[in-house]
């Protein structure tokens, strides 16, 4: 029997037990107490995108200006979702300012989880609300005539290409976006498989991972080609959520998308947002379109590494190709909201105002601890700022795309969006792996959409509708200025 | 089998052993190196083995701004709290299940074991609701309490195996002298199984320490634990691999040390006392 | 040394009052019952309600069995159940066989074998979420160690990569689990084999039984109980896998690596459909209990 012949080791064990207890005591001293309501420490919960590193780096400025201390926490999307669900079921968000996804804005406002900002903006003379890009506020921050959040990072989508390779392949990329998706595809097909700079080049790269990355990428192409998700939403009254994705426009778009995949590294079927970006930064991809942060992220060889990538000085940016109709660009990014039950509403508003102001946004763009890693300004004036243009020469084109932006058409913030995205993403991913034909994907997805929308009582829609248009947002901004 | 080995067999054995270490320890070393690598060598092809250590990741995660330093303390508080709370529940139960031949003993033991096999993901949302209904959401206590679904069953099993080894004669003598069950438990059994109690506690500590699912939904920013803290560096725009590795390596060290210290009890701990090793 | 001590000293005495053991056991059982009953009842109730946080913060009405119907109708649940069972069966089998082979190696007298044994257990001590990150790093499509090693060794990789190809994604996820838990099998089986009485093995050897048959017909039956308990534990743990899938593949490509645990995670913590995820919880709890029941009925019948 083992067991009782270990008096010697017993002492050792006891010792290590004591040592552990000792560390616990020290650890206990280190652990901060939860902030009390009376503290002027503001708790900010953000998604860990590049803008967070800039804000974290500049937070001392805010503290100096206002005397309010910041405790900023950045977490991954997965953790943010889990944290927010559990916080909101119990109606106890553990932060004063939170990052609110545009898809969830309506839900947060209607459940009174966040505080609407209309009155705060109106009462404050130095918000300068007219300097915001209206398309951004429309897409990301307004719901049923209320401003719920303010944008801290506004992403559009653009084409990124490797200049020296595109030149060598004899392709001219129109910076102003005067080309069609078919021409874009043809250029990629021409580049694919060529030898260049010691690489066997891929024409393009996709973000094929389900659910969100592939939907974020594909929905841009689809919307640009004229696809709409629903019969009448968000504009139009009454809202009608009858799915319209099984359409000829969407089929044409999906066929282009699966052609693009044939000219992309096969692994990109599993690529998420940054996998696609980092692949491009490695130098063996000719051209792709993606969220605008990749304009600076791709110049670095790793996330927040501070080191230049091989394409850093060869990166070209152009506006997106067009479909047959009017151009529609996907808008996304990050917005700040104030939790409804915060005890520090004034301080929270100070922070939201500070983080989204032109002055701070510019400082974020100039912050270069990890190299210059932020140019997704929500303020129109910064896109013509000479100092910023020197660092981010693509800003003019970026503003051009943002002003064609309509996030509510590309990914409509309908109440069950996340569930729909899950199914759409799964089936798009299956098209890339060859498990579904484009035709089958669209008809199956459409059927699923209908089942889910009916199951969630959205078809037929019986609640009050709101004719959500860009013009309505512009009028709202004017009334708040 | 032993003793009559050919030289070839011996060399094959040694080769297999080296391969084992490469496969099972190599990745851990590779991950530890990641914490001190210069960023440009994270994904260098071919892999870079020699480099000047870069302490930036460790500095960022534990010192400036050092988001993970308080989490290390939180992990310790939760794990030690879980162990402390579990003992008064599991020790008497382990004693009873060891000493008394009660009806359904097998089924009680198996029920405890069954709890360890429950799908954790199914309980996350209900537990977060439960914690907020009880007004303990975000506290260390909520995590310590929910950890009991893991630590109590585990400790009952492991501790029972230690109590089984205590000779019953001592108790019988005490009982004849008129000692009650409480006295026997605290004055006679407890000192005898103290080593077992420590072994059990240390394994229960590891169980609780490594659990990331419950703190994910129960903790708030100031009480969150280290394994969950690694998640913050896995963003949508990129992954700061050095930061993840630095935080993760810190989370790896205490369980590894405990397993090294408890070497001869590892098998016993991992099989909840059913295999003594 | 004895391998299994499920059999407690059979010296319990009749003359002790009956209720004492129950007094000692009941606090732990009551606490655990309370902790386990709440989630189960919460899920049971809400599985009959329409409660989707995307639609509203509170339950919006009784809808009978619609959540169950929804879970079963789109084939997701049954599909991921099948994926999960495949992964679980293959994973447990590989971990057991590989662990047994390593255990046999550890039993040999080789220089450095003790140190090897001590170090070998390290993967098992790591938090599963950290193992997820470790493998995410090593599988990275843009310069991870594993694709590089395999390509350098001349092993052809699927064009879409290990995590990107429908034929390999599930197994690549499983590989991370195998890496973490094979040492567990190895160390436990090693300890159990060490406890097999030498005389029995010697007798078999003298009778001319080949080493292979010694293992199969003499040693394994002797460590049967140990083997069963760890097989059951691992079987259930692999069955419940979701964290590795979240970090490595998000269930893709297609549904190739969508486990039951991940489906539940997506319904509850991504789609925030509390009603649907509650229904799935109950179906999963029933399946888990059925499997445990089968184990107990067939494998642990003869426990005392």
């Amino acid at each position: 029997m083992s067991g009782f012949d270990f008096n010697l080791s017993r002492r050792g064990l006891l010792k290590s037990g004591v040592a552990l207890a000792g560390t616990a005591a020290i650890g206990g001293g280190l652990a901060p107490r939860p902030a009390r309501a009376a503290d002027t420490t503001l708790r900010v919960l953000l998604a860990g995108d590049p803008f967070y590193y800039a804000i974290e780096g500049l937070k001392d400025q805010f503290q100096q200006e206002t005397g309010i201390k910041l405790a900023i926490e950045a977490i991954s999307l997965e953790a943010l979702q889990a944290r927010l669900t559990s916080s909101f079921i119990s109606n106890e968000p553990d932060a004063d300012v939170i990052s609110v996804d545009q898809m969830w804005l309506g839900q947060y406002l209607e459940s009174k989880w966040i505080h609407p900002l209309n009155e705060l903006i109106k009462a404050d003379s130095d918000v300068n609300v007219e300097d915001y890009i209206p398309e951004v506020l429309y897409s990301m921050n307004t719901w049923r005539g209320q401003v719920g959040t303010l944008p801290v990072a506004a992403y559009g989508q653009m084409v990124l290409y490797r200049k020296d390779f595109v030149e060598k392949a004899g392709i001219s990329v129109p910076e102003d976006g005067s080309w069609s998706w078919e021409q874009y595809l043809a250029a990629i097909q021409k580049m694919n498989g060529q030898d260049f700079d010691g690489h066997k080049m891929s024409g393009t790269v996709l973000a094929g991972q389900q659910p969100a990355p592939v939907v974020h990428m594909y929905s841009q192409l689809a919307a640009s080609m004229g696809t709409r998700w629903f019969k009448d939403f968000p504009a139009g009254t009454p809202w009608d959520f009858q799915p319209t994705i099984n359409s000829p426009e969407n089929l044409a778009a999906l066929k282009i998308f699966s052609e693009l995949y044939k000219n992309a590294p096969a692994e990109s079927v599993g690529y998420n947002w940054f996998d696609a970006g980092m692949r491009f930064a490695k130098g063996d991809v000719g051209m792709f379109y993606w969220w605008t942060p990749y304009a600076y992220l791709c110049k670095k060889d790793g996330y927040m590494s501070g080191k230049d990538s091989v394409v850093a000085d060869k990166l070209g940016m152009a506006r997106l190709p067009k479909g047959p109709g009017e151009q529609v660009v996907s808008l996304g990014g990050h917005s700040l909201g104030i939790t409804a039950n915060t005890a520090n509403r004034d301080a929270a508003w100070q922070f939201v105002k500070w983080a989204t102001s032109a002055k701070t946004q510019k400082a974020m763009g100039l912050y270069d601890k990890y190299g210059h890693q932020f140019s997704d300004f929500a303020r129109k004036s910064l896109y013509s700022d000479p100092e910023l243009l020197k660092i981010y020469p693509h800003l003019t084109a970026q503003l051009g795309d943002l002003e064609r932006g309509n996030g509510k058409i590309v990914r409509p913030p309908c109440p069950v969006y996340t569930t729909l995205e899950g199914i759409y993403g799964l089936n798009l991913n299956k098209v890339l792996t060859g498990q579904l034909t484009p035709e089958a994907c669209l008809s199956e997805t459409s059927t699923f959409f209908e089942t889910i929308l009916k199951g969630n009582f959205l078809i037929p829609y019986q609640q009050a509708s709101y004719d959500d248009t860009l013009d309505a947002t512009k009028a709202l901004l004017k009334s708040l200025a | 089998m032993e003793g009559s080995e050919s030289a070839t067999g011996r060399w094959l054995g040694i080769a297999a052993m080296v391969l084992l270490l490469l496969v099972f320890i190599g990745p851990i070393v590779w991950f530890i190196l990641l914490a001190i690598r210069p960023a440009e060598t994270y994904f260098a092809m071919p892999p870079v083995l020699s480099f000047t250590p870069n302490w930036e990741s460790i500095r960022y995660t534990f010192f400036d701004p050092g988001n993970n330093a308080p989490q290390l303390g939180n992990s310790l508080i939760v794990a030690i709290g879980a162990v402390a709370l579990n003992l008064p529940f599991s020790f008497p139960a382990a004693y009873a299940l060891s000493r008394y031949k009660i009806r359904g003993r097998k089924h009680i033991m198996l029920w405890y074991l069954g709890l360890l096999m429950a799908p954790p993901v199914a309980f996350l949302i209900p537990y977060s609701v439960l914690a907020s209904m009880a007004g303990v959401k975000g506290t260390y206590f909520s995590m310590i309490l929910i950890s009991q679904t893991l630590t109590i069953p585990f400790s009952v099993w492991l501790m029972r195996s230690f109590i089984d080894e205590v000779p019953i004669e001592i108790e019988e003598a005490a009982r004849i002298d008129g000692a009650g069950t409480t006295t026997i438990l605290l004055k006679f059994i407890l000192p005898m199984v103290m080593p077992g109690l420590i072994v059990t506690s240390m394994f229960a500590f590891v169980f609780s320490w490594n659990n990331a699912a419950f703190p994910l939904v129960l903790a708030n920013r100031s009480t969150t634990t280290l394994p969950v803290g690694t998640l913050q560096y896995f963003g949508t725009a990129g992954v700061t691999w050095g930061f993840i590795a630095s935080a993760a390596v810190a989370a790896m060290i205490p369980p590894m040390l405990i397993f090294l210290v408890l070497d001869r009890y590892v098998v016993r701990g991992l099989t909840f006392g059913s295999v003594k090793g | 040394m004895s391998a299994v001590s499920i059999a407690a000293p059979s010296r319990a005495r009749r003359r002790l009052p009956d209720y004492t053991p129950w007094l000692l056991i009941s606090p732990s059982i009551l606490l655990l019952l309370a902790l386990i009953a709440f989630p189960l009842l919460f899920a049971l109730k809400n599985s009959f309600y329409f409660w989707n946080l995307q639609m509203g913060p509170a339950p919006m009405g009784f809808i009978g069995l619609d959540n169950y119907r929804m879970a079963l109708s789109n084939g997701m649940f049954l599909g991921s159940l099948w994926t999960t069972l495949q992964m679980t069966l293959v994973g447990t089998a590989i971990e057991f066989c590989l662990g047994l082979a390593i255990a046999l190696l550890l039993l040999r007298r080789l220089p450095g074998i003790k140190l090897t044994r001590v170090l070998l257990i390290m993967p098992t001590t790591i938090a599963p979420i950290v193992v997820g990150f470790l493998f995410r790093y090593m599988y990275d499509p843009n310069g991870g160690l594993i694709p590089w090693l395999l390509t350098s060794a001349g092993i052809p990789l699927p064009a879409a990569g290990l995590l990107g190809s429908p034929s390999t994604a599930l197994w690549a996820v499983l590989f991370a689990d195998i890496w973490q838990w094979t040492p567990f099998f190895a160390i436990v089986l090693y300890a159990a084999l060490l406890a097999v009485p030498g005389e029995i093995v010697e007798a078999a050897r003298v009778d001319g039984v080949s080493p292979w048959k010694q293992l199969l017909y003499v040693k394994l039956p002797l460590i049967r109980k140990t083997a069963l308990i760890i097989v059951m534990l691992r079987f259930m743990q692999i069955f419940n896998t979701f964290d590795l899938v979240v970090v490595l593949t998000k269930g893709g490509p297609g549904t190739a690596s969508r486990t039951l645990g991940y489906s539940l995670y997506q319904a509850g913590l991504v789609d925030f459909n509390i009603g649907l995820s509650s229904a799935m919880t109950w179906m999963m709890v029933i399946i888990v209990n059925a499997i445990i029941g089968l184990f107990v009925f067939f494998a642990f019948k003869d426990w005392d």
Side-chain angles (χ1 to χ4, degrees):
Chain A
M1 287 294 257
S2 63
F4 282 88
D5 49 337
F6 70 102
N7 281 325
L8 277 176
S9 64
R10 177 176 171 177
R11 180 176 293 169
L13 277 178
L14 281 170
K15 243 190 233 160
S16 32
V18 171
L20 269 177
T23 3
I26 298 164
L30 280 174
R33 316 241 159 272
R36 292 184 305 274
D39 285 350
T40 42
T41 299
L42 198 67
R43 300 162 307 158
V44 181
L45 184 58
L46 303 176
D49 261 19
F51 78 94
Y52 151 73
Y53 287 85
I55 288 190
E56 176 76 48
L58 295 170
K59 74 175 182 188
D60 287 348
Q61 279 185 17
F62 177 71
Q63 273 161 222
Q64 279 162 18
E65 281 170 32
T66 59
I68 301 163
K69 265 196 219 142
L70 289 178
I72 305 176
E73 185 185 18
I75 55 181
S76 74
L77 204 63
E78 283 84 5
L80 189 69
Q81 280 168 330
R83 270 275 283 283
L84 291 179
T85 329
S86 62
S87 294
F88 286 127
I89 296 178
S90 52
N91 203 17
E92 287 179 69
D94 59 335
D96 305 299
V97 176
I98 54 172
S99 198
V100 181
D101 192 291
Q102 69 208 64
M103 295 304 160
W104 281 77
L105 179 65
Q107 184 51 39
Y108 280 31
L109 275 173
E110 282 170 15
S111 308
K112 299 195 173 17
W113 289 340
I114 54 172
H115 188 69
L117 303 178
N118 285 14
E119 298 309 311
L120 289 168
I121 295 172
K122 214 170 181 174
D124 211 314
S125 57
D126 52 350
V127 182
N128 195 10
V129 76
E130 285 181 310
D131 189 29
Y132 285 113
I133 302 162
E135 287 79 7
V136 168
L137 285 204
Y138 169 65
S139 301
M140 292 166 53
N141 310 102
T142 55
W143 179 252
R144 291 181 186 266
Q146 276 184 321
V147 180
T149 53
L150 285 175
V152 67
Y155 306 158
Q157 295 199 5
M158 290 179 79
V159 171
L160 293 89
Y161 60 97
R162 189 173 163 164
K163 274 187 199 158
D164 52 351
F165 174 55
V166 161
E167 252 165 53
K168 196 219 140 208
I171 290 159
S172 73
V173 177
E175 305 267 324
D176 61 350
S178 56
W179 56 340
S180 68
W181 285 99
E182 286 80 5
Q183 287 169 315
Y184 172 81
L185 173 64
I188 279 167
Q189 283 167 331
K190 193 170 169 195
M191 290 187 280
N192 193 48
Q194 289 201 26
D195 289 307
F196 181 75
D197 196 18
H199 295 293
K200 186 101 183 150
M201 299 292 283
S202 292
T204 189
V205 61
L206 299 186
Q209 189 183 70
Q210 57 167 309
V214 69
V215 174
H216 283 200
M217 187 171 262
Y218 176 69
S219 59
Q220 170 61 70
L221 168 60
S224 196
M225 296 283 288
T227 306
R228 301 294 176 263
W229 290 51
F230 307 114
K231 198 153 169 259
D232 272 311
F233 178 81
T237 40
W239 286 345
D240 185 343
F241 287 99
Q242 193 59 43
T244 53
I245 51 162
N246 193 9
S247 65
E249 307 88 71
N250 207 13
L251 186 60
L254 189 48
K255 283 182 172 160
I256 293 179
F257 196 63
S258 66
E259 279 306 309
L260 286 175
Y261 178 59
K262 288 179 190 142
N263 295 280
E267 302 97 294
S268 58
V269 68
Y271 280 5
N272 66 14
W273 296 276
F274 60 80
D275 289 326
M278 290 325 292
R279 181 60 184 253
F280 178 78
K282 273 179 67 184
D284 66 347
V285 170
M287 172 162 73
F288 80 130
Y289 70 97
W290 207 205
W291 292 114
T292 46
Y294 288 92
Y296 45 88
L297 287 168
C298 287
K299 288 190 172 174
K300 299 293 162 196
D301 75 340
Y303 188 51
M304 298 299 147
S305 72
K307 301 274 181 346
D308 281 350
S309 68
V310 293
V311 299
D313 53 347
K314 307 174 179 90
L315 184 72
M317 301 279 298
R319 286 174 59 181
L320 288 171
K322 291 191 180 85
E326 206 186 326
Q327 178 66 305
V328 181
V329 175
S330 189
L331 286 187
H334 297 277
S335 303
L336 302 178
I338 299 174
T339 53
N341 56 2
T342 171
N344 300 316
R345 185 174 294 169
D346 289 342
W349 170 241
Q350 291 290 317
F351 175 73
V352 171
K353 205 172 75 174
W354 173 80
T356 60
S357 69
K359 185 174 158 242
T360 307
Q361 292 266 305
K362 181 172 173 179
M364 287 163 70
L366 297 175
Y367 179 74
D368 73 343
K369 183 168 176 207
Y370 305 98
H372 292 108
Q373 294 287 285
F374 182 76
S375 63
D376 296 292
F377 313 113
R379 298 288 187 164
K380 204 188 295 182
S381 58
L382 299 180
Y383 286 83
S384 49
D385 184 292
E387 213 178 333
L388 291 168
L389 271 167
K390 227 181 282 168
I391 304 167
Y392 309 105
H394 62 276
L395 282 179
T396 316
Q398 182 170 340
L399 182 64
D401 262 4
L402 288 177
E403 286 178 333
R404 300 289 171 285
N406 188 328
K408 281 179 174 162
I409 281 182
V410 184
R411 292 180 298 135
C414 84
V416 288
Y417 173 78
T418 320
T419 310
L420 301 184
E421 182 187 72
I423 283 157
Y424 206 179
L426 173 64
N427 286 342
L428 288 171
N429 186 262
K430 280 184 170 173
V431 171
L432 299 186
T433 60
Q435 290 165 295
L436 275 182
T437 62
E439 289 82 359
C441 164
L442 293 182
S443 81
E444 275 185 29
T445 311
S446 182
T447 314
F448 267 135
F449 273 23
E450 213 173 316
T451 315
I452 286 177
L453 291 160
K454 281 182 179 152
N456 284 287
F457 310 105
L458 289 165
I459 298 179
Y461 189 70
Q462 284 148 337
Q463 295 161 51
S465 301
Y466 176 85
D467 189 15
D468 198 359
T469 60
L470 179 61
D471 287 337
T473 301
K474 284 181 175 162
L476 173 68
L477 295 185
K478 199 161 258 167
S479 76
L480 296 177
Chain B
M1 208 193 310
E2 296 111 24
S4 62
E5 277 185 289
S6 66
T8 338
R10 200 171 161 76
W11 281 111
L12 276 178
I14 292 175
M17 204 171 76
V18 172
L19 184 70
L20 272 189
L21 286 178
L22 276 177
V23 170
F24 289 102
I25 306 304
I28 299 178
V29 176
W30 192 243
F31 205 48
I32 293 173
L33 289 181
L34 179 59
I36 53 169
R37 263 176 194 287
E40 66 270 20
T41 66
Y42 289 174
F43 294 105
M45 292 244 246
V48 177
L49 284 169
S50 80
F51 50 81
T52 330
N54 163 24
W55 306 105
E56 165 63 17
S57 300
I58 293 172
R59 197 186 61 79
Y60 186 92
T61 46
F62 287 98
F63 299 99
D64 175 29
N67 289 344
N68 299 105
Q71 293 165 356
L72 187 61
N74 293 341
S75 273
L76 280 170
I77 292 172
V78 171
I80 290 174
V83 170
L85 181 62
N86 119 84
L87 289 178
F89 290 96
S90 54
F91 176 61
Y95 172 78
L97 287 164
S98 164
R99 287 296 193 249
Y100 296 90
K101 201 165 191 147
I102 50 173
R103 275 167 54 111
R105 182 169 69 179
K106 169 182 156 184
H107 289 105
I108 294 174
M109 290 300 282
L110 287 173
W111 182 72
Y112 283 123
L113 197 61
L115 291 182
L116 292 167
M117 300 176 192
V121 64
F123 295 99
L124 298 183
I125 293 174
Y127 277 147
S128 115
V129 174
L130 177 65
S132 63
M133 277 169 45
V136 292
K137 180 83 184 298
T139 60
Y140 296 123
F141 178 73
S142 66
M143 287 178 270
I144 291 170
L145 184 69
I146 302 301
S147 293
Q148 299 308 310
T149 55
L150 300 174
T151 48
I152 291 183
F154 168 77
S155 298
V156 169
W157 270 72
L158 184 52
M159 210 142 30
R160 194 190 103 152
S161 83
F162 282 101
I163 298 174
D164 280 350
E165 291 171 353
V166 177
I168 200 158
E169 288 72 23
I170 299 173
E171 278 172 78
E172 278 170 345
R175 229 176 259 283
I176 291 164
D177 291 344
T181 303
T182 320
T183 320
I184 288 177
L185 214 53
L186 294 179
K187 288 238 172 89
F188 294 88
I189 301 291
L190 193 61
M192 294 289 289
V193 294
M194 194 47 92
L197 207 70
I198 293 168
V199 172
T200 306
S201 298
M202 289 172 91
F203 278 110
F205 177 93
V206 173
F207 262 61
S208 168
W209 178 278
N210 277 348
N211 185 307
F214 294 148
L216 183 64
V217 294
L218 291 173
N220 66 23
R221 67 174 54 235
S222 51
T223 55
T224 204
T225 59
L226 196 52
V228 180
T230 57
L231 271 173
Q232 68 181 292
Y233 303 116
F234 198 88
T236 51
V239 180
T240 37
W241 279 109
F243 298 171
I244 288 195
S246 168
V249 167
M252 271 155 51
I253 290 171
M256 285 187 175
L257 287 181
I258 288 178
F259 270 63
L260 286 178
V261 171
L262 295 185
D263 172 45
R264 49 181 304 197
Y265 296 99
V266 159
V267 169
R268 200 166 178 171
L270 286 174
T271 57
F272 314 141
S274 60
V275 181
K276 285 204 192 107
Chain C
M1 294 262 192
S2 69
V4 174
S5 74
I6 296 301
S10 50
R11 278 179 275 180
R13 279 132 308 162
R14 286 249 155 249
R15 59 190 154 85
L16 289 175
D18 282 330
Y19 55 84
T20 318
W22 292 107
L23 274 181
L24 296 170
I25 299 172
S26 53
S28 70
I29 292 192
L30 288 177
L31 178 68
L32 289 173
L33 268 181
L35 289 179
I36 210 85
F38 179 85
L40 289 178
L41 294 176
F42 175 89
L44 185 63
K45 174 180 172 245
N46 290 307
S47 71
F48 300 113
Y49 279 81
F50 180 77
W51 187 7
N52 186 343
L53 289 181
Q54 294 184 77
M55 296 296 298
M60 287 165 76
F62 183 82
I63 52 167
L65 290 172
D66 275 7
N67 283 322
Y68 292 89
R69 226 168 270 143
M70 183 81 135
L72 291 171
S73 72
N74 58 18
M76 291 292 187
F77 188 87
L78 293 176
S80 48
L81 177 61
W82 171 233
T83 308
T84 310
L85 282 174
Q86 275 179 297
M87 177 177 173
T88 310
L89 288 168
V90 173
T92 316
I94 292 181
E95 284 172 19
F96 181 84
C97 296
L98 215 55
L100 186 62
I102 296 171
L104 293 173
L105 179 74
L106 291 175
L107 284 167
R108 294 174 58 175
R109 290 198 199 102
L110 294 167
I113 199 77
K114 185 164 187 293
L115 183 69
T116 306
R117 183 175 58 72
V118 172
L119 289 178
L120 189 64
I121 197 66
M122 288 304 132
T124 304
T125 68
I126 302 174
I129 190 164
V130 172
V131 174
F133 281 128
L134 170 56
F135 275 84
R136 180 67 176 75
Y137 174 58
M138 293 205 306
Y139 278 132
D140 197 284
N142 301 320
L145 188 62
I146 291 176
W148 180 81
L149 278 176
L150 292 178
T151 327
S152 310
I155 298 168
L157 294 183
L162 289 167
L163 293 174
S165 157
S167 54
T168 55
L170 181 66
W171 311 117
V173 172
L174 182 61
F175 180 74
D177 189 88
I178 291 175
W179 177 83
Q180 180 168 28
W181 292 98
T182 297
F184 164 76
F185 274 91
I187 298 294
V188 172
L189 292 174
Y190 159 82
L193 287 172
L194 205 59
V196 169
E199 320 71 270
I200 302 182
V201 183
E202 185 60 22
R205 207 178 60 82
V206 170
D207 286 349
V209 180
S210 70
W212 177 243
K213 287 192 168 162
Q214 282 175 34
L215 176 69
L216 218 57
Y217 297 114
V218 181
K219 292 181 184 170
L220 279 185
L222 283 171
I223 62 167
R224 184 173 147 261
K225 280 185 175 171
T226 304
L228 276 175
I229 208 172
I230 56 175
V231 163
M232 175 162 98
L233 270 171
R234 284 305 301 149
F235 190 93
M236 294 321 303
Q237 282 168 0
I238 303 181
F239 190 85
N240 291 336
T241 300
F242 79 101
D243 32 14
L244 283 177
V245 181
V246 173
V247 178
L248 292 176
T249 62
K250 297 277 194 298
T255 49
S257 60
R258 182 183 286 258
T259 62
L260 210 48
Y262 181 78
S263 293
L264 193 49
Y265 166 86
Q266 174 148 3
L269 291 161
V270 179
D271 292 351
F272 302 109
N273 193 333
I274 312 284
L276 180 64
S277 72
S278 295
M280 290 169 71
T281 293
W282 262 92
M283 293 197 285
M284 190 161 172
V285 164
I286 288 169
I287 294 167
V288 165
N289 274 296
I291 297 173
I292 297 180
L294 285 178
F295 261 108
V296 170
F297 187 78
F298 287 107
F300 300 114
K301 244 192 319 206
D302 46 352
W303 276 16
D304 86 301

